[in-house]
Amino acid sequence: MNTYETINHVLVHLFNEIWELEEKAIITEEYKDISNNDMHIIEAIGLGEGSTMSVIAKKLNITAGSLTTSMNSLVNKKYAVRERSEQDRRVVHIRLTKKGERAFYHHQEFHRKMTEAVINCLGEEELPVLLKTLDKLSEFFREYPIEQGEKKE
């Protein structure tokens, strides 16, 4: 395999492997009632005072409408709660419950271990190269046209 084929093979398989392993690692007996996607919504809600549906949707790069069904499920399963703002009753904040916070930390721990595994096997001079490479890959995803001929804004 030449360099192009090798990099292509690694990238394609890496994304699938991360998604599959993450699901196996984070959807344990305690969290069997939610999906990997739900865990990423929990991550987007974050810790603290909470956030609005539009802010959470923006973090996930989806519409608030697309988020509604999953959010209803997380509220019903007691991972999150909806609370009306005291300042503006039209605004609804979503925040994690204690159960949701435990799920958040559980997911965060998987990411910590994954990141440390990469960092620990590289030398100090290799880290800037990896950071630059990952930044360029991230830039590619942010700018990739959604449909033929469209530039993502």
Side-chain angles (χ1 to χ4, degrees):
M1 238 190 270
N2 66 30
T3 303
Y4 175 87
E5 291 169 337
T6 302
I7 291 172
N8 181 63
H9 177 80
V10 168
L11 287 174
V12 169
H13 288 89
L14 181 62
F15 292 118
N16 291 329
E17 288 171 356
I18 289 171
W19 187 258
E20 288 174 19
L21 176 61
E22 182 178 48
E23 187 166 16
K24 289 175 186 170
I26 65 176
I27 306 303
T28 60
E29 187 63 28
E30 183 176 0
Y31 304 108
K32 66 183 178 191
D33 61 336
I34 59 173
S35 68
N36 204 14
N37 188 53
D38 291 333
M39 205 55 103
H40 287 105
I41 294 169
I42 288 169
E43 178 182 42
I45 295 169
L47 302 172
E49 297 297 310
S51 205
T52 63
M53 288 286 281
S54 57
V55 169
I56 296 164
K58 187 173 182 171
K59 285 182 187 178
L60 297 167
N61 202 24
I62 60 174
T63 66
S66 299
L67 181 60
T68 299
T69 303
S70 295
M71 192 58 69
N72 289 342
S73 175
L74 288 172
V75 168
N76 289 336
K77 293 173 184 174
K78 310 281 190 249
Y79 284 91
V81 292
R82 289 183 173 95
E83 297 172 332
R84 291 224 176 259
S85 168
E86 293 297 322
Q87 291 79 24
D88 184 346
R89 301 295 290 162
R90 296 170 297 175
V91 176
V92 178
H93 292 279
I94 309 292
R95 71 170 177 77
L96 297 177
T97 62
K98 292 294 180 195
K99 183 179 181 181
E101 288 176 359
R102 284 193 309 275
F104 177 92
Y105 287 124
H106 176 67
H107 186 212
Q108 186 180 53
E109 180 63 11
F110 171 78
H111 285 197
R112 185 192 64 75
K113 287 178 181 177
M114 178 179 62
T115 303
E116 282 184 1
V118 172
I119 290 172
N120 290 341
C121 72
L122 295 175
E124 229 176 272
E125 69 285 349
E126 295 170 304
L127 285 173
V129 175
L130 176 62
L131 287 171
K132 181 178 179 181
T133 303
L134 292 174
D135 187 51
K136 290 296 179 187
L137 188 58
S138 180
E139 183 180 313
F140 167 80
F141 288 129
R142 283 190 310 273
E143 295 178 359
Y144 191 80
I146 301 299
E147 292 182 24
Q148 197 76 13
E150 274 186 41
K151 177 120 172 125
K152 189 173 178 181
E153 306 261 339

